[in-house]
Amino acid sequence: MSHSQELKNPLKIAQGTEQHVVVSAQGEPVIRPSGLDKIKVQGGTVLKGNIPISGAKNSALKLMCATLLTSEPVELTNLPVGLADIGTLSKVLNGLGVQLALRSDHVGLFHARDIAKPFAPYDLVRKMRASILVLGPLLARFGYAEVSLPGGCAIGTRPVDLHLMGMEAMGAEIKIEEGYVKAKAPKGGLIGADITFPIVSVGATENNLMAATLAKGTTRLMNAAREPEIVDLGNMLNKMGAKISGLGTDTITIEGVKSLHGTRHAVIADRIETGTWMVGAAMTGGNLILENTSLDILGAFIDPMRRAGLDIEQSGNDIHVARETKPLIGTDIMTEPYPGFPTDLQAQFMTMLTLCAGAGMVTETVFENRFMHVPELCRMGAHISVQGNSAIVRGATKLRGAEVMATDLRASASLVLAGLVAEGETTVNRIYHLDRGYENITEKLGNVGAKITRLSE
Ligand code: EPZ
């Protein structure tokens, strides 16, 4: 698409709460309810072959929000259009007046030329917390925004106070009324400020990064998050004309500009999907080529995987992982903001520890309630005891298939991994969580030898 081209084919989005996006024979994305779908996995196969890694969900969502900062079209490539979260945010953006189209070749076209009212309703925001990321761009561009507060979720209360703190420092007047954040910028727009976050927050860094691009003067975000997805967002904003430096460090400096323009940008690889299949290779004694991804974005995840017994090497744009004969060895990990061990791979790593020789301790420091997979893994025969924010996993367990369910995306992924090695059949219920974050999971795993099927209600 040329940046001056109009979008002739705005996405039509079906009604429904829990959904996943499928691409029709005509190449159109269709969002359909998936709340009651199940996945059945027959354990005991070894993962061998190639898995193409999708674009990062947690980058794509922010890049989509950033398209609100310009009246010109933005084209995103390597966009994981098959994810339900992409569909949900598309609905939020569409509701705001953004013309958009998601294409089966992983391209998304976004044109936020006319925003009728910078208002994001509860109905849409409650389905996905990341919708709060429209606040910063809307406030910066229109001087006013009204966005529903997202509310808590299964992994913790997850407040957005730090998102708002930054915008207040930039001069915004913020009120919470009837469950909505009502934010108003000073007359001439947001004003650059020094903002020091008391704790590292990915979302607060991103929301304020986007808001600051159009503020008057210089903003410094200190104790900022350093996740690769933030670097990706900053890189795209710079391509749109923003002046951002310090990306990937804990101090990001943004010199405000008057306006941003359209661009074309490729979403980075999904490091969490990459890590999930690395764990799959380790658990099944497999041999996988993970395509179009990089060790550079995996931070402190690589070392414990190597110590556990997985051979890992970068080869061009792919990562080759194998553990064909080596035994699995237990090791301790603690989750931390990037480049520390990612909380989004904690459940998968813990599942691997159930097979390792010896014991391993997992400490979760990012979220207060992220052990929902523990009781389900125990139902499959795992020996895990939780003490506060740590879990001790006694290894060398023979997992047994069971009917299981999880209330969080990564916990659901860990149950699929457990199913791959369990004796007999595992049924993972309520897989709409998986549809939020793993594109074509049954096809991708089926292609590398897993006996996995999706049952639609
Ligand atoms: C992002 O969530 C990711 N989500 C999460 O991915 C990921 O687990 C998390 O970062 C940490 O890496 C997206 O990118 C859409 P935070 P975010 O703000 O931005 C507290 C997945 O599975 N906090 O870094 O919401 C918060 O409660 C997921 O894909 C405040 O107290 O995470 C948490 O304890 C789930 N006040 C900690 O900070 C605030 O204003 C870190 O949260 C904001 C956050």
Side-chain angles (χ1 to χ4, degrees):
M1 181 182 66
S2 87
H3 297 315
S4 57
Q5 191 185 318
E6 289 268 317
L7 283 176
K8 301 244 167 41
N9 186 22
L11 177 64
K12 290 190 182 60
I13 296 165
Q15 294 302 313
T17 43
E18 293 135 6
Q19 309 148 335
H20 80 292
V21 183
V22 288
V23 177
S24 72
Q26 290 74 35
E28 293 292 314
V30 179
I31 301 175
R32 69 172 192 76
S34 65
L36 297 174
D37 287 6
K38 298 171 179 190
I39 279 181
K40 273 195 196 298
V41 191
Q42 187 68 42
T45 54
V46 172
L47 300 186
K48 277 197 179 150
N50 291 35
I51 304 184
I53 299 298
S54 294
K57 164 181 85 79
N58 289 345
S59 191
L61 294 172
K62 323 313 166 53
L63 299 171
M64 285 167 68
C65 291
T67 68
L68 287 167
L69 283 162
T70 175
S71 60
E72 294 183 13
V74 175
E75 179 175 335
L76 295 176
T77 61
N78 200 31
L79 188 72
V81 293
L83 299 180
D85 274 9
I86 298 297
T88 304
L89 185 62
S90 296
K91 256 180 155 177
V92 174
L93 295 178
N94 217 219
L96 284 162
V98 178
Q99 278 196 296
L100 62 97
L102 304 180
R103 288 194 342 219
S104 53
D105 57 351
H106 291 104
V107 173
L109 310 168
F110 302 86
H111 194 181
R113 190 186 50 196
D114 306 310
I115 300 299
K117 195 176 167 210
F119 171 72
Y122 175 67
D123 222 35
L124 297 177
V125 173
R126 74 181 169 84
K127 289 177 193 148
M128 192 188 58
R129 292 184 48 81
S131 313
I132 191 71
L133 272 295
V134 300
L135 182 67
L138 289 175
L139 177 64
R141 181 163 156 214
F142 301 101
Y144 178 76
E146 211 174 306
V147 178
S148 171
L149 272 172
C153 72
I155 60 177
T157 48
R158 300 181 76 185
V160 292
D161 54 324
L162 304 177
H163 299 230
L164 307 186
M165 179 198 96
M167 291 176 216
E168 276 177 333
M170 286 187 256
E173 199 185 290
I174 295 186
K175 285 191 280 190
I176 310 282
E177 281 175 1
E178 293 153 0
Y180 279 78
V181 180
K182 297 183 178 173
K184 204 170 154 200
K187 239 189 163 147
L190 293 172
I191 303 157
D194 274 0
I195 300 162
T196 305
F197 296 110
I199 57 168
V200 178
S201 160
V202 172
T205 302
E206 293 165 333
N207 227 343
N208 284 286
L209 172 63
M210 289 189 276
T213 55
L214 296 180
K216 267 205 213 100
T218 304
T219 299
R220 279 193 306 162
L221 303 178
M222 286 169 285
N223 201 22
R226 292 182 279 167
E227 270 64 8
E229 293 76 22
I230 297 174
V231 178
D232 198 29
L233 172 63
N235 285 341
M236 183 174 94
L237 290 168
N238 278 340
K239 285 202 232 165
M240 293 167 73
K243 291 192 174 151
I244 303 167
S245 58
L247 290 165
T249 75
D250 63 2
T251 303
I252 303 177
T253 305
I254 307 115
E255 277 178 54
V257 295
K258 282 221 164 68
S259 64
L260 296 178
H261 52 75
T263 193
R264 183 173 202 265
H265 184 79
V267 181
I268 57 163
D270 195 313
R271 64 195 163 97
I272 307 303
E273 189 197 5
T274 305
T276 302
W277 307 144
M278 283 167 77
V279 172
M283 288 178 68
T284 63
N287 191 330
L288 291 175
I289 307 274
L290 305 172
E291 295 171 352
N292 287 322
T293 186
S294 165
L295 290 176
D296 292 345
I297 51 176
L298 283 167
F301 178 70
I302 302 169
D303 186 53
M305 288 304 294
R306 282 200 170 121
R307 271 187 283 138
L310 188 70
D311 292 328
I312 304 172
E313 103 192 7
Q314 184 82 42
S315 153
N317 289 333
D318 304 334
I319 296 175
H320 181 198
V321 288
R323 184 193 69 83
E324 278 159 324
T325 49
K326 282 195 205 162
L328 269 176
I329 312 287
T331 174
D332 299 344
I333 54 118
M334 180 163 83
T335 66
E336 281 176 330
Y338 191 85
F341 190 100
T343 174
D344 292 344
L345 285 167
Q346 178 258 106
Q348 300 89 316
F349 192 87
M350 188 189 292
T351 306
M352 182 186 77
L353 285 180
T354 65
L355 308 183
C356 291
M361 184 159 81
V362 171
T363 304
E364 172 61 53
T365 72
V366 179
F367 289 109
E368 67 218 41
N369 182 25
R370 216 175 188 184
F371 285 148
M372 290 88 71
H373 40 288
V374 170
E376 296 301 288
L377 289 173
C378 290
R379 292 183 59 244
M380 295 177 74
H383 299 288
I384 306 172
S385 56
V386 174
Q387 303 267 328
N389 67 345
S390 292
I392 309 273
V393 188
R394 286 185 187 82
T397 307
K398 191 115 199 63
L399 296 177
R400 293 179 304 273
E403 189 143 346
V404 288
M405 176 177 101
T407 47
D408 151 59
L409 163 60
R410 309 304 171 185
S412 301
S414 77
L415 297 176
V416 172
L417 292 172
L420 290 173
V421 295
E423 210 175 85
E425 190 174 81
T426 297
T427 305
V428 183
N429 290 298
R430 292 173 74 90
I431 57 159
Y432 65 86
H433 293 292
L434 282 171
D435 290 331
R436 289 187 41 219
Y438 290 90
E439 245 187 348
N440 305 329
I441 185 167
T442 43
E443 291 78 2
K444 284 187 183 185
L445 285 179
N447 287 343
V448 292
K451 288 195 181 139
I452 182 166
T453 41
R454 181 183 184 112
L455 305 176
S456 296
E457 291 283 311

